[in-house]
Amino acid sequence: MRAVGIIFSNIHDNCVPELVRVRTLGSIPFGGRYRLVDFPLSNMVNSGIDTIGIITKNNYQSLMDHVGSGKDWDLARKDGGLIILPPFGDLGNDKLYTSRLEALKGITNFLFRADEEYVVLSDCDNVCRINFNDVIEEHIRNRADITLVYKNCKAEELDNFAFNDLKISDKRVVGVDYKIPEKGKAVNAFSNIFVLKRTLLINIVMDSISHNYSHFMSDIIAKNLKSMNICGYELKGFYAGITSLQSYYDSNMKLLNENNRRELFKDRSVFTKVRDSAPTKYGNYAIVKNSMVADGCQIEGEVENSIIFRNVKVARGAVVKNSIIMQDTVIGENSFVNCIITDKRVIIRDKKVLSGSENHPFYIGKGTMI
């Protein structure tokens, strides 16, 4: 059951405009040492998928710097491996795509050149662990044309941004609801992961070109629920959907729960770019409680309920609580920060007090000095 993987690195950039001003969604830092693209990429590699195309759009320099040749995922190969698919594709169209289907129209040559039977499509807004071999096996058992992966949960467990609620009857998708559900209601939240045969995907793309379709869910899935056998596969374990700055903050904070960390990082590794940083140095007066601290940091102050990325410096007397502090940030002496998200290379000078709230974190842009 050979499969080729396709990862969309930019499809949901509009959901987190603060974090994608200088990068693509796939290269947003997450969980202390990872990028969002690491999770679908690692899921595919762990499932034996060794030909993976990453569709880009704009601001993808940091993404290319991160994935490189793919060697950290064992994808630096002469045949297959990791392939960066540029935004201007095969159809001679010089306009950037605006939807998933338009992006697929631009990589038709990639689809034709592949010889794998199945295609796994995934966005970068889902943080989870999944074995795609299990999905493909169930896809075959159900004799499905397309399989959509979903997470069954209460509506309030996900950010109340728009997401597709799949209506499932006897494993078959019979409806798609685009409305924001009421709190307490059980939903089948679509994870933006698809599985289907490569030849079927090519036929769908070519047919969409002739009919000028542009949206995969509304023009293909929703319109063919009766004519095609479209099935659902329920995702178990930890799942986080990055649909806003708030959901990004909440999803990182969930990793401070040991059970969530165990579910996300169990068994096989989540691979990322290897950096040869020194171990984190803790000063004599350092206090760290319930936090994730990456390597290369210098902690002299107090850190509590926070995610600390590589090479962060927390000076003596500084207090960091309930915050996400990205790479190369400096927190000055006797400063106090609470419920904030600092992008990379932020400098907070001495004796500053910054605070957001758990339901409205305060974001500080890349390279800012306060």
Side-chain angles (χ1 to χ4, degrees):
M1 296 181 296
R2 297 181 64 222
V4 59
I6 296 176
I7 297 175
F8 299 87
S9 67
N10 286 81
I11 287 292
H12 304 284
D13 276 2
N14 62 314
C15 297
V16 281
E18 303 91 344
L19 295 172
V20 296
R21 288 172 184 154
V22 293
R23 60 171 70 88
T24 177
L25 182 79
S27 59
I28 291 177
F30 186 87
R33 61 191 299 265
Y34 302 97
R35 305 291 183 109
L36 289 181
V37 73
D38 292 338
F39 295 94
L41 200 53
S42 297
N43 286 334
M44 291 181 181
V45 169
N46 288 331
S47 301
I49 299 174
D50 56 16
T51 300
I52 302 172
I54 300 181
I55 301 179
T56 60
K57 186 176 183 180
N58 49 31
N59 284 344
Y60 55 90
Q61 182 61 54
S62 63
L63 178 70
M64 294 180 66
D65 290 342
H66 180 69
V67 299
S69 65
K71 66 181 181 63
D72 293 305
W73 295 266
D74 192 27
L75 291 173
R77 301 166 182 244
K78 292 182 178 180
D79 186 16
L82 182 68
I83 302 166
I84 300 294
L85 300 171
F88 302 106
D90 307 320
L91 303 179
N93 190 347
D94 59 355
K95 294 182 179 179
L96 291 172
Y97 62 82
T98 59
S99 68
R100 186 187 315 279
L101 196 50
E102 288 182 1
L104 290 170
K105 291 176 184 178
I107 64 162
T108 51
N109 281 348
F110 174 77
L111 294 173
F112 277 116
R113 287 195 301 268
D115 61 359
E116 289 83 358
E117 184 176 4
Y118 294 95
V119 179
V120 175
L121 308 175
S122 178
D123 294 349
C124 287
D125 66 335
N126 52 71
V127 178
C128 64
R129 298 301 305 277
I130 184 170
N131 187 334
F132 289 118
N133 292 317
D134 295 339
V135 184
I136 294 173
E137 287 176 3
E138 184 158 326
H139 176 87
I140 295 171
R141 284 196 300 270
N142 294 334
R143 296 183 180 180
D145 294 309
I146 303 174
T147 294
L148 309 181
V149 178
Y150 67 91
K151 175 68 175 178
N152 181 266
C153 59
K154 297 291 185 182
E156 60 269 23
E157 293 179 28
L158 300 176
D159 184 72
N160 64 354
F161 204 83
F163 60 85
N164 297 317
D165 179 13
L166 305 181
K167 307 304 178 184
I168 308 290
S169 177
D170 193 24
K171 296 186 179 182
R172 185 165 179 172
V173 179
V174 296
V176 181
D177 193 348
Y178 302 98
K179 297 179 181 179
I180 297 176
E182 299 176 358
K183 288 186 177 181
K185 181 182 177 182
V187 296
N188 296 319
F190 179 44
S191 66
N192 295 313
I193 298 174
F194 308 75
V195 170
L196 68 165
K197 282 193 173 182
R198 181 179 58 87
T199 52
L200 174 60
L201 180 59
I202 291 173
N203 290 337
I204 287 173
V205 172
M206 301 311 292
D207 184 64
S208 70
I209 294 172
S210 62
H211 289 87
N212 201 29
Y213 292 154
S214 59
H215 297 282
F216 203 95
M217 284 301 294
S218 58
D219 290 330
I220 305 300
I221 301 297
K223 290 182 178 179
N224 291 282
L225 292 176
K226 294 183 179 179
S227 60
M228 298 176 69
N229 185 19
I230 301 176
C231 295
Y233 177 92
E234 184 177 356
L235 174 66
K236 303 291 187 179
F238 179 86
Y239 173 80
I242 309 301
T243 56
S244 68
L245 186 66
Q246 181 68 53
S247 66
Y248 172 79
Y249 176 82
D250 292 341
S251 298
N252 273 277
M253 291 298 106
K254 287 178 181 177
L255 295 183
L256 298 179
N257 181 293
E258 183 179 355
N259 292 331
N260 291 335
R261 289 198 304 274
R262 187 180 299 115
E263 286 185 353
L264 185 59
F265 298 108
K266 66 180 179 181
D267 301 332
R268 298 172 178 174
S269 299
V270 177
F271 304 108
T272 190
K273 183 177 181 179
V274 175
R275 298 181 186 273
D276 296 323
S277 301
T280 289
K281 178 182 178 181
Y282 296 93
N284 294 332
Y285 300 96
I287 300 174
V288 179
K289 301 177 182 178
N290 191 39
S291 297
M292 294 177 64
V293 181
D295 50 341
C297 298
Q298 296 181 30
I299 309 297
E300 300 283 346
E302 180 179 348
V303 176
E304 183 177 350
N305 298 328
S306 296
I307 308 290
I308 308 297
F309 284 75
R310 293 184 175 103
N311 301 323
V312 168
K313 296 181 180 180
V314 179
R316 184 173 178 177
V319 177
V320 178
K321 292 187 176 183
N322 310 306
S323 297
I324 301 169
I325 309 299
M326 292 190 196
Q327 186 173 323
D328 297 319
T329 291
V330 177
I331 310 294
E333 289 186 6
N334 300 311
S335 290
F336 175 87
V337 297
N338 177 55
C339 294
I340 69 168
I341 302 171
T342 72
D343 212 311
K344 297 170 66 175
R345 294 195 291 276
V346 167
I347 298 176
I348 298 176
R349 302 178 71 179
D350 299 348
K351 299 180 181 179
K352 296 295 184 284
V353 177
L354 301 172
S355 183
S357 65
E358 291 185 357
N359 57 8
H360 195 87
F362 180 59
Y363 171 75
I364 303 174
K366 183 178 181 180
T368 301
M369 177 182 289
I370 297 179

